């Protein structure tokens, strides 16, 4: 994974863990912009899927795709 994408992934993961709640592509894009990135919707969706595969997010809606953050700690 290119460095800028791994940085985006790390920043989005940190934000999801901090804020919790529902996540979709638009919220992911806003969160990444807020942390200084210029995100691409395609890669933002991939990051959300990756976080879901690791158990940090759970898909709660298929269309449009939405995830809910899993409480940790």
């Amino acid at each position: 994974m290119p460095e800028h994408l791994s940085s985006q992934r790390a920043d989005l993961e940190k934000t999801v863990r901090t804020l919790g709640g529902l996540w979709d592509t638009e919220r992911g894009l806003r969160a990444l912009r807020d942390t200084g990135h210029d995100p691409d919707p395609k890669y933002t969706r991939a990051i959300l899927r990756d976080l879901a595969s690791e158990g940090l997010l759970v898909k709660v809606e298929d269309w449009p795709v939405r995830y809910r953050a899993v409480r940790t700690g």
Side-chain angles (χ1 to χ4, degrees), residues 17-38:
R17 288 182 186 279
T18 301
L19 299 178
L22 291 175
W23 287 86
D24 59 13
T25 304
E26 288 305 312
R27 187 174 182 197
L29 289 168
R30 281 192 309 272
L32 287 170
R33 286 185 193 111
D34 287 349
T35 58
H37 296 284
D38 182 22

Side-chain angles (χ1 to χ4, degrees), residues 52-71:
S53 73
E54 292 179 3
L56 180 60
L57 295 170
V58 174
K59 188 188 274 189
V60 294
E61 191 173 337
D62 284 327
W63 190 257
V65 175
R66 283 190 175 179
Y67 300 93
R68 179 174 302 282
V70 175
R71 291 265 181 209

